[in-house]
Amino acid sequence: MGRDYYTAAVQGPHQHFELGSFALDSGDTLPDARLAYRTHGTLNPAKDNGVLVPHMYSGTSASMEGLIGEGRALDPSRYFIILPDQFGSGLSSSPSNTPAPFDRGHFPAVTIADDVRAQHRLVTEQFGITSLHAVVGWSMGGQQTYEWAVRHPDMVHRAAIFAATAKTPVQNQFFIDVHTELLRSDPAFAAGFYADSDDVHLGLSRHAMAFTMMSTTHRFFRDEVWRQIGFGSVDEFALGFMRGHFQPMDPNNLLCQAAKWREADVSRHFGGDMAAALGRITARCFVFPFGGDLFFPAEDHDPDVAMIRDARLRVSDSPLGHFAMFGLLPEDVTAIDEALAEALKS
Amino acid sequence: MGRDYYTAAVQGPHQHFELGSFALDSGDTLPDARLAYRTHGTLNPAKDNGVLVPHMYSGTSASMEGLIGEGRALDPSRYFIILPDQFGSGLSSSPSNTPAPFDRGHFPAVTIADDVRAQHRLVTEQFGITSLHAVVGWSMGGQQTYEWAVRHPDMVHRAAIFAATAKTPVQNQFFIDVHTELLRSDPAFAAGFYADSDDVHLGLSRHAMAFTMMSTTHRFFRDEVWRQIGFGSVDEFALGFMRGHFQPMDPNNLLCQAAKWREADVSRHFGGDMAAALGRITARCFVFPFGGDLFFPAEDHDPDVAMIRDARLRVSDSPLGHFAMFGLLPEDVTAIDEALAEALKS
């Protein structure tokens, strides 16, 4: 399964944009770097209907396609929707698909700023777009959205950020430490030099335990909301949904993404001055935390919003918390679509 | 360090009560079982001024002594305060001090009900007490307090429960799965048959990471409250306080306690009928959740309180959350003492 997961057969059709030798924030250069991506809709002649939708941790460019549809907020008859894969997704340059000497455990450290610089090249060089109608993202995708709005205020006119902060909260960093430690704790991980990701099934199971614990809410368990999404027991949810989600993935790919998530901070290139970084944003920002989210608590969004010129915050409650974006409850799908429509049509 | 930790030199003076062959809930019998305990104050002639204070996960009978003092709520000039060690504390019968064939990884599973049955023998046989002024507990100590109030309504006149529910919340059970998995993941754990607890230092460090993440609150990190308790950086807090707390402990002892915590449920002996179990309580109950607690969220206490005849709930906010009970902030010490005074003097 591990070997098949990062293929078009599982992930659906996608293209690649060749970046060539790509200089990373770390100082390393990744040779023959490439970004995977897919698009929906048509770029208009003015080239101003582009909406960029980066994805979350453990996702690929396929992950956000569930938001797209005729008559929905992300309507491909109206927008040219670009879904880029982040580095480490398994489709873009990743530990799992890069040849030696940057393969597997030797893949260099990347940052969200690296992702955004690569995406900027895709958007400008491949499509000739210099003005984006919007950037939309959830979780790490939301952090990429912030990075876009800060780095390219001239290009980003609207930003819709679901459950993400401009800098990863410290408590969330400790969660990342826990889930990456669980993944690495499997002796078969072998410092990243396993032969097949399936060999690390124990580490992948342990990693899923951390997400079972933290990615929804206390209320999800208290009110047995897992029943509403079709599970007969809480263990069935833990194994069928959480373990099932992560088991086919490549541990090094997850760790590559997790390291970016942990260090996400748009003030990094401004000497840690968050007000200076967020003060650059000219996009109209829509910040949508999920109430009860244990990764990016609603309250952690307030300081960001206070530092952005034109930002509005609306907390939407869901027992799914951070994972509301998976759209497992019909009311989450509706709420997210309404929020997104508000952002895109403004 | 590991070998010295469970000694009077570190834990202070304590006594032992011999239980003999002790039949456990599991069906196993623990030979030569013993409870460690210590007392403060003097039992009055009527033998009705006893206050029993069981301890929390990772604690010993020394852990709750910080609540005791002249002029404080737990005043030894007024009450006869009994601090029992739970099974697995390292001072009572535990994996670390029980001879073969019940040593180390072979120590049998115990329950909170086992603890309470053993404590009942201590209280009645050793001291001839048939009426307790109060039982007071925090976290697992609070769960033991519930078990006391349900099993012995004739004996328990007041119950003060800090941050604990009558049944462990499911989300909290997943946390226990994570921290025990982290502890066991160290190859040196060797299914519990390590020679010295220090050998499992990696597992103990990993286990501490889980507590760093979850045992305080989001606000603790957001507002850098660790500065107020004397740490210069958040990593200093994580290593100096959290790792420092757990590092000298015995992994099997922690796992013994964690298993009890995970399965805590006063309705277990009532066929899962929580209303029947809590309906037995005649004690005046004072339930004190800590706002922002990620182990036992304030909201999880409401259903318990609703099923108890005479219970009052007061949420006290602290950025320390579950660990408010450590009394690291002066305002926590004051709030807890006031709450306890209200309960004991009622």
mmCIF file of all heavy atoms in Angstrom, chain A residues 138-176:
data_model
loop_
_atom_site.group_PDB
_atom_site.id
_atom_site.type_symbol
_atom_site.label_atom_id
_atom_site.label_comp_id
_atom_site.label_asym_id
_atom_site.label_seq_id
_atom_site.Cartn_x
_atom_site.Cartn_y
_atom_site.Cartn_z
ATOM 1 N N TRP A 138 -6.386 25.708 5.078
ATOM 2 C CA TRP A 138 -6.767 25.182 6.395
ATOM 3 C C TRP A 138 -5.521 24.626 7.054
ATOM 4 O O TRP A 138 -4.732 23.937 6.401
ATOM 5 C CB TRP A 138 -7.808 24.082 6.209
ATOM 6 C CG TRP A 138 -8.003 23.161 7.382
ATOM 7 C CD1 TRP A 138 -8.190 23.531 8.681
ATOM 8 C CD2 TRP A 138 -8.035 21.727 7.354
ATOM 9 N NE1 TRP A 138 -8.347 22.405 9.466
ATOM 10 C CE2 TRP A 138 -8.256 21.291 8.680
ATOM 11 C CE3 TRP A 138 -7.922 20.779 6.343
ATOM 12 C CZ2 TRP A 138 -8.357 19.940 9.024
ATOM 13 C CZ3 TRP A 138 -8.013 19.437 6.678
ATOM 14 C CH2 TRP A 138 -8.236 19.028 8.003
ATOM 15 N N SER A 139 -5.342 24.937 8.331
ATOM 16 C CA SER A 139 -4.250 24.350 9.114
ATOM 17 C C SER A 139 -2.909 24.731 8.463
ATOM 18 O O SER A 139 -2.670 25.918 8.231
ATOM 19 C CB SER A 139 -4.472 22.834 9.192
ATOM 20 O OG SER A 139 -3.734 22.263 10.239
ATOM 21 N N MET A 140 -2.037 23.800 8.134
ATOM 22 C CA MET A 140 -0.792 24.187 7.454
ATOM 23 C C MET A 140 -1.076 24.937 6.156
ATOM 24 O O MET A 140 -0.287 25.791 5.746
ATOM 25 C CB MET A 140 0.040 22.958 7.091
ATOM 26 C CG MET A 140 0.958 22.489 8.194
ATOM 27 S SD MET A 140 2.021 21.137 7.610
ATOM 28 C CE MET A 140 3.314 22.082 6.793
ATOM 29 N N GLY A 141 -2.187 24.626 5.500
ATOM 30 C CA GLY A 141 -2.582 25.384 4.306
ATOM 31 C C GLY A 141 -2.903 26.827 4.672
ATOM 32 O O GLY A 141 -2.632 27.756 3.903
ATOM 33 N N GLY A 142 -3.482 27.021 5.846
ATOM 34 C CA GLY A 142 -3.753 28.371 6.342
ATOM 35 C C GLY A 142 -2.458 29.093 6.674
ATOM 36 O O GLY A 142 -2.325 30.309 6.456
ATOM 37 N N GLN A 143 -1.487 28.349 7.188
ATOM 38 C CA GLN A 143 -0.188 28.960 7.484
ATOM 39 C C GLN A 143 0.518 29.358 6.186
ATOM 40 O O GLN A 143 1.185 30.390 6.124
ATOM 41 C CB GLN A 143 0.658 27.990 8.316
ATOM 42 C CG GLN A 143 0.017 27.717 9.686
ATOM 43 C CD GLN A 143 0.893 26.889 10.597
ATOM 44 O OE1 GLN A 143 1.305 25.792 10.249
ATOM 45 N NE2 GLN A 143 1.176 27.414 11.770
ATOM 46 N N GLN A 144 0.346 28.560 5.145
ATOM 47 C CA GLN A 144 0.894 28.937 3.832
ATOM 48 C C GLN A 144 0.159 30.164 3.293
ATOM 49 O O GLN A 144 0.765 31.032 2.656
ATOM 50 C CB GLN A 144 0.789 27.761 2.870
ATOM 51 C CG GLN A 144 1.665 26.580 3.317
ATOM 52 C CD GLN A 144 1.693 25.451 2.331
ATOM 53 O OE1 GLN A 144 0.676 25.115 1.730
ATOM 54 N NE2 GLN A 144 2.854 24.848 2.153
ATOM 55 N N THR A 145 -1.132 30.231 3.565
ATOM 56 C CA THR A 145 -1.919 31.393 3.144
ATOM 57 C C THR A 145 -1.391 32.663 3.803
ATOM 58 O O THR A 145 -1.213 33.707 3.147
ATOM 59 C CB THR A 145 -3.406 31.174 3.490
ATOM 60 O OG1 THR A 145 -3.848 29.976 2.851
ATOM 61 C CG2 THR A 145 -4.257 32.348 3.038
ATOM 62 N N TYR A 146 -1.115 32.585 5.101
ATOM 63 C CA TYR A 146 -0.512 33.733 5.795
ATOM 64 C C TYR A 146 0.822 34.114 5.146
ATOM 65 O O TYR A 146 1.117 35.289 4.938
ATOM 66 C CB TYR A 146 -0.287 33.405 7.272
ATOM 67 C CG TYR A 146 -1.421 33.822 8.193
ATOM 68 C CD1 TYR A 146 -2.030 32.914 9.028
ATOM 69 C CD2 TYR A 146 -1.855 35.149 8.231
ATOM 70 C CE1 TYR A 146 -3.061 33.289 9.882
ATOM 71 C CE2 TYR A 146 -2.884 35.539 9.086
ATOM 72 C CZ TYR A 146 -3.478 34.609 9.906
ATOM 73 O OH TYR A 146 -4.492 34.990 10.746
ATOM 74 N N GLU A 147 1.636 33.102 4.873
ATOM 75 C CA GLU A 147 2.966 33.365 4.295
ATOM 76 C C GLU A 147 2.815 34.060 2.936
ATOM 77 O O GLU A 147 3.551 35.011 2.626
ATOM 78 C CB GLU A 147 3.730 32.046 4.154
ATOM 79 C CG GLU A 147 5.186 32.188 3.755
ATOM 80 C CD GLU A 147 6.102 32.705 4.869
ATOM 81 O OE1 GLU A 147 5.840 32.414 6.054
ATOM 82 O OE2 GLU A 147 7.064 33.434 4.534
ATOM 83 N N TRP A 148 1.846 33.634 2.148
ATOM 84 C CA TRP A 148 1.557 34.276 0.863
ATOM 85 C C TRP A 148 1.167 35.742 1.053
ATOM 86 O O TRP A 148 1.662 36.628 0.351
ATOM 87 C CB TRP A 148 0.403 33.541 0.146
ATOM 88 C CG TRP A 148 0.851 32.590 -0.918
ATOM 89 C CD1 TRP A 148 0.986 31.247 -0.806
ATOM 90 C CD2 TRP A 148 1.206 32.929 -2.270
ATOM 91 N NE1 TRP A 148 1.413 30.709 -1.999
ATOM 92 C CE2 TRP A 148 1.551 31.721 -2.915
ATOM 93 C CE3 TRP A 148 1.266 34.114 -2.997
ATOM 94 C CZ2 TRP A 148 1.945 31.667 -4.249
ATOM 95 C CZ3 TRP A 148 1.667 34.060 -4.329
ATOM 96 C CH2 TRP A 148 2.005 32.852 -4.941
ATOM 97 N N ALA A 149 0.242 35.969 1.979
ATOM 98 C CA ALA A 149 -0.291 37.329 2.169
ATOM 99 C C ALA A 149 0.791 38.285 2.664
ATOM 100 O O ALA A 149 0.788 39.476 2.324
ATOM 101 C CB ALA A 149 -1.468 37.297 3.147
ATOM 102 N N VAL A 150 1.733 37.749 3.455
ATOM 103 C CA VAL A 150 2.825 38.581 3.976
ATOM 104 C C VAL A 150 3.889 38.827 2.913
ATOM 105 O O VAL A 150 4.383 39.949 2.755
ATOM 106 C CB VAL A 150 3.453 37.913 5.233
ATOM 107 C CG1 VAL A 150 4.778 38.586 5.617
ATOM 108 C CG2 VAL A 150 2.475 37.944 6.397
ATOM 109 N N ARG A 151 4.252 37.793 2.164
ATOM 110 C CA ARG A 151 5.337 37.901 1.173
ATOM 111 C C ARG A 151 4.911 38.613 -0.096
ATOM 112 O O ARG A 151 5.732 39.240 -0.756
ATOM 113 C CB ARG A 151 5.848 36.507 0.782
ATOM 114 C CG ARG A 151 6.516 35.759 1.889
ATOM 115 C CD ARG A 151 6.963 34.382 1.413
ATOM 116 N NE ARG A 151 8.271 34.428 0.808
ATOM 117 C CZ ARG A 151 9.420 34.282 1.466
ATOM 118 N NH1 ARG A 151 9.412 34.091 2.759
ATOM 119 N NH2 ARG A 151 10.566 34.334 0.828
ATOM 120 N N HIS A 152 3.654 38.456 -0.457
ATOM 121 C CA HIS A 152 3.183 38.980 -1.744
ATOM 122 C C HIS A 152 1.899 39.781 -1.574
ATOM 123 O O HIS A 152 0.862 39.427 -2.150
ATOM 124 C CB HIS A 152 2.968 37.818 -2.731
ATOM 125 C CG HIS A 152 4.189 36.989 -2.937
ATOM 126 N ND1 HIS A 152 5.312 37.468 -3.571
ATOM 127 C CD2 HIS A 152 4.474 35.727 -2.556
ATOM 128 C CE1 HIS A 152 6.252 36.525 -3.572
ATOM 129 N NE2 HIS A 152 5.773 35.467 -2.968
ATOM 130 N N PRO A 153 1.979 40.857 -0.802
ATOM 131 C CA PRO A 153 0.763 41.647 -0.565
ATOM 132 C C PRO A 153 0.204 42.219 -1.874
ATOM 133 O O PRO A 153 -1.013 42.424 -1.985
ATOM 134 C CB PRO A 153 1.234 42.763 0.385
ATOM 135 C CG PRO A 153 2.717 42.772 0.291
ATOM 136 C CD PRO A 153 3.141 41.384 -0.068
ATOM 137 N N ASP A 154 1.079 42.447 -2.865
ATOM 138 C CA ASP A 154 0.648 42.969 -4.169
ATOM 139 C C ASP A 154 -0.203 41.964 -4.942
ATOM 140 O O ASP A 154 -1.018 42.344 -5.782
ATOM 141 C CB ASP A 154 1.889 43.322 -4.998
ATOM 142 C CG ASP A 154 2.890 42.160 -5.045
ATOM 143 O OD1 ASP A 154 3.133 41.546 -3.962
ATOM 144 O OD2 ASP A 154 3.398 41.842 -6.125
ATOM 145 N N MET A 155 -0.014 40.683 -4.652
ATOM 146 C CA MET A 155 -0.693 39.647 -5.445
ATOM 147 C C MET A 155 -1.955 39.104 -4.795
ATOM 148 O O MET A 155 -2.848 38.619 -5.481
ATOM 149 C CB MET A 155 0.256 38.445 -5.661
ATOM 150 C CG MET A 155 1.310 38.658 -6.718
ATOM 151 S SD MET A 155 2.253 37.123 -6.991
ATOM 152 C CE MET A 155 1.038 36.090 -7.837
ATOM 153 N N VAL A 156 -1.994 39.117 -3.456
ATOM 154 C CA VAL A 156 -3.066 38.410 -2.740
ATOM 155 C C VAL A 156 -4.142 39.406 -2.325
ATOM 156 O O VAL A 156 -3.913 40.264 -1.474
ATOM 157 C CB VAL A 156 -2.514 37.677 -1.503
ATOM 158 C CG1 VAL A 156 -3.632 36.910 -0.795
ATOM 159 C CG2 VAL A 156 -1.374 36.736 -1.898
ATOM 160 N N HIS A 157 -5.339 39.277 -2.906
ATOM 161 C CA HIS A 157 -6.399 40.239 -2.620
ATOM 162 C C HIS A 157 -7.342 39.790 -1.515
ATOM 163 O O HIS A 157 -7.943 40.620 -0.839
ATOM 164 C CB HIS A 157 -7.164 40.548 -3.911
ATOM 165 C CG HIS A 157 -6.267 41.170 -4.934
ATOM 166 N ND1 HIS A 157 -5.655 42.384 -4.741
ATOM 167 C CD2 HIS A 157 -5.804 40.705 -6.120
ATOM 168 C CE1 HIS A 157 -4.883 42.684 -5.780
ATOM 169 N NE2 HIS A 157 -4.949 41.664 -6.630
ATOM 170 N N ARG A 158 -7.458 38.509 -1.366
ATOM 171 C CA ARG A 158 -8.299 37.960 -0.298
ATOM 172 C C ARG A 158 -7.588 36.746 0.280
ATOM 173 O O ARG A 158 -6.966 35.980 -0.472
ATOM 174 C CB ARG A 158 -9.672 37.504 -0.824
ATOM 175 C CG ARG A 158 -10.563 38.635 -1.299
ATOM 176 C CD ARG A 158 -11.727 38.125 -2.141
ATOM 177 N NE ARG A 158 -12.335 39.241 -2.880
ATOM 178 C CZ ARG A 158 -11.852 39.751 -4.013
ATOM 179 N NH1 ARG A 158 -10.750 39.238 -4.574
ATOM 180 N NH2 ARG A 158 -12.456 40.758 -4.604
ATOM 181 N N ALA A 159 -7.706 36.595 1.575
ATOM 182 C CA ALA A 159 -7.118 35.416 2.220
ATOM 183 C C ALA A 159 -8.157 34.814 3.151
ATOM 184 O O ALA A 159 -8.734 35.529 3.975
ATOM 185 C CB ALA A 159 -5.862 35.796 3.002
ATOM 186 N N ALA A 160 -8.412 33.536 2.966
ATOM 187 C CA ALA A 160 -9.341 32.828 3.863
ATOM 188 C C ALA A 160 -8.544 31.772 4.614
ATOM 189 O O ALA A 160 -7.981 30.860 4.011
ATOM 190 C CB ALA A 160 -10.477 32.187 3.070
ATOM 191 N N ILE A 161 -8.502 31.952 5.929
ATOM 192 C CA ILE A 161 -7.639 31.120 6.775
ATOM 193 C C ILE A 161 -8.508 30.356 7.753
ATOM 194 O O ILE A 161 -9.161 30.952 8.620
ATOM 195 C CB ILE A 161 -6.625 32.018 7.518
ATOM 196 C CG1 ILE A 161 -5.668 32.657 6.513
ATOM 197 C CG2 ILE A 161 -5.860 31.227 8.563
ATOM 198 C CD1 ILE A 161 -5.447 34.122 6.736
ATOM 199 N N PHE A 162 -8.531 29.049 7.603
ATOM 200 C CA PHE A 162 -9.313 28.207 8.508
ATOM 201 C C PHE A 162 -8.370 27.553 9.518
ATOM 202 O O PHE A 162 -7.464 26.800 9.140
ATOM 203 C CB PHE A 162 -10.047 27.114 7.719
ATOM 204 C CG PHE A 162 -11.141 27.621 6.837
ATOM 205 C CD1 PHE A 162 -10.882 28.039 5.536
ATOM 206 C CD2 PHE A 162 -12.445 27.697 7.310
ATOM 207 C CE1 PHE A 162 -11.891 28.514 4.721
ATOM 208 C CE2 PHE A 162 -13.468 28.169 6.502
ATOM 209 C CZ PHE A 162 -13.196 28.585 5.200
ATOM 210 N N ALA A 163 -8.614 27.834 10.799
ATOM 211 C CA ALA A 163 -7.924 27.118 11.883
ATOM 212 C C ALA A 163 -6.414 27.096 11.692
ATOM 213 O O ALA A 163 -5.793 26.032 11.581
ATOM 214 C CB ALA A 163 -8.469 25.691 12.015
ATOM 215 N N ALA A 164 -5.832 28.281 11.640
ATOM 216 C CA ALA A 164 -4.376 28.378 11.526
ATOM 217 C C ALA A 164 -3.948 29.729 12.068
ATOM 218 O O ALA A 164 -4.687 30.707 11.983
ATOM 219 C CB ALA A 164 -3.934 28.247 10.073
ATOM 220 N N THR A 165 -2.756 29.755 12.616
ATOM 221 C CA THR A 165 -2.213 31.003 13.136
ATOM 222 C C THR A 165 -0.928 31.339 12.372
ATOM 223 O O THR A 165 -0.318 30.477 11.746
ATOM 224 C CB THR A 165 -1.912 30.883 14.643
ATOM 225 O OG1 THR A 165 -1.111 29.731 14.864
ATOM 226 C CG2 THR A 165 -3.195 30.764 15.447
ATOM 227 N N ALA A 166 -0.555 32.605 12.455
ATOM 228 C CA ALA A 166 0.606 33.089 11.703
ATOM 229 C C ALA A 166 1.905 32.503 12.237
ATOM 230 O O ALA A 166 2.925 32.476 11.546
ATOM 231 C CB ALA A 166 0.653 34.616 11.757
ATOM 232 N N LYS A 167 1.853 32.038 13.449
ATOM 233 C CA LYS A 167 2.988 31.347 14.067
ATOM 234 C C LYS A 167 2.406 30.181 14.845
ATOM 235 O O LYS A 167 1.386 30.340 15.534
ATOM 236 C CB LYS A 167 3.724 32.307 15.011
ATOM 237 C CG LYS A 167 4.899 31.706 15.743
ATOM 238 C CD LYS A 167 5.612 32.754 16.603
ATOM 239 C CE LYS A 167 6.782 32.099 17.333
ATOM 240 N NZ LYS A 167 7.592 33.107 18.055
ATOM 241 N N THR A 168 3.014 29.025 14.762
ATOM 242 C CA THR A 168 2.448 27.858 15.436
ATOM 243 C C THR A 168 2.471 28.059 16.960
ATOM 244 O O THR A 168 3.522 28.368 17.517
ATOM 245 C CB THR A 168 3.235 26.590 15.057
ATOM 246 O OG1 THR A 168 3.120 26.412 13.644
ATOM 247 C CG2 THR A 168 2.712 25.361 15.759
ATOM 248 N N PRO A 169 1.328 27.892 17.626
ATOM 249 C CA PRO A 169 1.303 28.040 19.086
ATOM 250 C C PRO A 169 2.243 27.034 19.757
ATOM 251 O O PRO A 169 2.415 25.916 19.273
ATOM 252 C CB PRO A 169 -0.155 27.731 19.458
ATOM 253 C CG PRO A 169 -0.940 27.913 18.202
ATOM 254 C CD PRO A 169 -0.008 27.572 17.078
ATOM 255 N N VAL A 170 2.829 27.438 20.865
ATOM 256 C CA VAL A 170 3.812 26.595 21.555
ATOM 257 C C VAL A 170 3.198 25.261 21.989
ATOM 258 O O VAL A 170 3.817 24.206 21.857
ATOM 259 C CB VAL A 170 4.407 27.342 22.766
ATOM 260 C CG1 VAL A 170 5.235 26.404 23.639
ATOM 261 C CG2 VAL A 170 5.275 28.504 22.278
ATOM 262 N N GLN A 171 1.963 25.305 22.479
ATOM 263 C CA GLN A 171 1.345 24.052 22.909
ATOM 264 C C GLN A 171 1.222 23.104 21.721
ATOM 265 O O GLN A 171 1.425 21.899 21.837
ATOM 266 C CB GLN A 171 -0.031 24.329 23.535
ATOM 267 C CG GLN A 171 -0.571 23.202 24.409
ATOM 268 C CD GLN A 171 -1.451 22.237 23.650
ATOM 269 O OE1 GLN A 171 -1.774 22.444 22.479
ATOM 270 N NE2 GLN A 171 -1.835 21.164 24.313
ATOM 271 N N ASN A 172 0.901 23.662 20.564
ATOM 272 C CA ASN A 172 0.795 22.852 19.354
ATOM 273 C C ASN A 172 2.158 22.297 18.952
ATOM 274 O O ASN A 172 2.258 21.165 18.463
ATOM 275 C CB ASN A 172 0.176 23.699 18.244
ATOM 276 C CG ASN A 172 -0.227 22.887 17.027
ATOM 277 O OD1 ASN A 172 0.245 23.138 15.928
ATOM 278 N ND2 ASN A 172 -1.069 21.899 17.210
ATOM 279 N N GLN A 173 3.215 23.069 19.173
ATOM 280 C CA GLN A 173 4.560 22.552 18.893
ATOM 281 C C GLN A 173 4.863 21.321 19.741
ATOM 282 O O GLN A 173 5.464 20.358 19.256
ATOM 283 C CB GLN A 173 5.611 23.632 19.158
ATOM 284 C CG GLN A 173 5.550 24.786 18.169
ATOM 285 C CD GLN A 173 6.643 25.813 18.419
ATOM 286 O OE1 GLN A 173 6.880 26.203 19.559
ATOM 287 N NE2 GLN A 173 7.294 26.253 17.359
ATOM 288 N N PHE A 174 4.407 21.344 20.992
ATOM 289 C CA PHE A 174 4.640 20.170 21.839
ATOM 290 C C PHE A 174 3.825 18.973 21.338
ATOM 291 O O PHE A 174 4.272 17.830 21.443
ATOM 292 C CB PHE A 174 4.325 20.481 23.304
ATOM 293 C CG PHE A 174 5.389 21.306 23.977
ATOM 294 C CD1 PHE A 174 5.100 22.533 24.545
ATOM 295 C CD2 PHE A 174 6.693 20.849 24.038
ATOM 296 C CE1 PHE A 174 6.084 23.292 25.172
ATOM 297 C CE2 PHE A 174 7.688 21.604 24.653
ATOM 298 C CZ PHE A 174 7.384 22.828 25.219
ATOM 299 N N PHE A 175 2.641 19.249 20.801
ATOM 300 C CA PHE A 175 1.891 18.147 20.185
ATOM 301 C C PHE A 175 2.679 17.555 19.021
ATOM 302 O O PHE A 175 2.763 16.325 18.858
ATOM 303 C CB PHE A 175 0.507 18.614 19.706
ATOM 304 C CG PHE A 175 -0.182 17.550 18.882
ATOM 305 C CD1 PHE A 175 -0.726 16.436 19.487
ATOM 306 C CD2 PHE A 175 -0.240 17.653 17.495
ATOM 307 C CE1 PHE A 175 -1.323 15.430 18.729
ATOM 308 C CE2 PHE A 175 -0.839 16.657 16.731
ATOM 309 C CZ PHE A 175 -1.384 15.541 17.354
ATOM 310 N N ILE A 176 3.257 18.419 18.205
ATOM 311 C CA ILE A 176 4.049 17.941 17.066
ATOM 312 C C ILE A 176 5.234 17.113 17.563
ATOM 313 O O ILE A 176 5.559 16.059 17.003
ATOM 314 C CB ILE A 176 4.500 19.132 16.184
ATOM 315 C CG1 ILE A 176 3.276 19.841 15.603
ATOM 316 C CG2 ILE A 176 5.430 18.660 15.066
ATOM 317 C CD1 ILE A 176 3.562 21.212 15.003
#
